[in-house]
Amino acid sequence: MIAICDFLKRLIIVAGIADAVTLKQNVSSSEDMKQEPESQSPIACDMSALSLDQRERHIATSRQLFSNVQAIHELSSGYEFRLADDLSAIVSAAEFISVEKLCCPFLHFALEVNAESGPVFLRLTGREGVKDFIREEISGLLGNAIDWR
């Protein structure tokens, strides 16, 4: 229990997202949790939402995170990325989410950390058009280093 508390404290401190990530357990229906906003933002990054320092750090964090993806699973509305089951991957994913949501508010994020050293997944999804956006942005970030098959 202490290790989990220490992990959560580090996650909150390092990623600075105390109110940006909600840990959920035993959700009966994901459909009950979905709520569409009244108005939709365009499917485009709003880099003006970030300071220059935030942008530089976010690019570095994103490159590190996606260059270490272990597997990619295509979903109907986006992609699921399997990450390493270690603290740095989880913290990097949480930091990525906390900043990416500022410049890309149209994305849906899910970070799943399974019990017993099970797999860690980052899901990026959204409405029609978001899937192509995700593929283009991450390919551009890494120079087409990801095999999307």
Side-chain angles (χ1 to χ4, degrees):
M1 185 67 158
I2 292 173
I4 292 172
C5 290
D6 288 343
F7 163 75
L8 290 175
K9 286 178 188 174
R10 280 185 278 184
L11 182 64
I12 291 168
I13 291 168
V14 172
I17 59 164
D19 58 1
V21 174
T22 302
L23 301 174
K24 295 180 277 181
Q25 189 174 19
N26 298 327
V27 175
S28 62
S29 170
S30 63
E31 290 301 315
D32 294 340
M33 301 300 294
K34 291 182 181 179
Q35 292 182 358
E36 289 296 322
E38 290 181 20
S39 64
Q40 294 183 335
S41 58
I43 299 176
C45 283
D46 177 9
M47 295 308 278
S48 68
L50 307 177
S51 70
L52 181 58
D53 289 341
Q54 283 177 312
R55 279 189 297 242
E56 289 174 357
R57 179 167 170 80
H58 184 57
I59 289 169
T61 299
S62 301
R63 277 195 181 115
Q64 183 271 329
L65 177 67
F66 288 103
S67 65
N68 291 311
V69 165
Q70 296 178 343
I72 300 171
H73 179 74
E74 186 173 357
L75 306 171
S76 61
S77 61
Y79 291 94
E80 177 180 76
F81 302 91
R82 184 177 178 155
L83 307 175
D85 177 33
D86 62 40
L87 180 60
S88 66
I90 296 167
V91 170
S92 290
E95 183 175 350
F96 168 80
I97 292 168
S98 70
V99 177
E100 188 74 9
K101 73 183 219 89
L102 300 174
C103 60
C104 297
F106 53 87
L107 287 174
H108 293 261
F109 303 93
L111 180 58
E112 179 181 336
V113 180
N114 288 284
E116 306 294 337
S117 297
V120 175
F121 296 102
L122 171 62
R123 280 186 291 283
L124 303 177
T125 59
R127 65 183 185 266
E128 187 175 336
V130 166
K131 188 176 186 176
D132 291 335
F133 173 85
I134 294 166
R135 189 174 47 251
E136 289 174 23
E137 287 298 307
I138 294 173
S139 292
L141 183 70
L142 299 177
N144 292 319
I146 290 184
D147 180 8
W148 292 98
R149 290 180 279 151

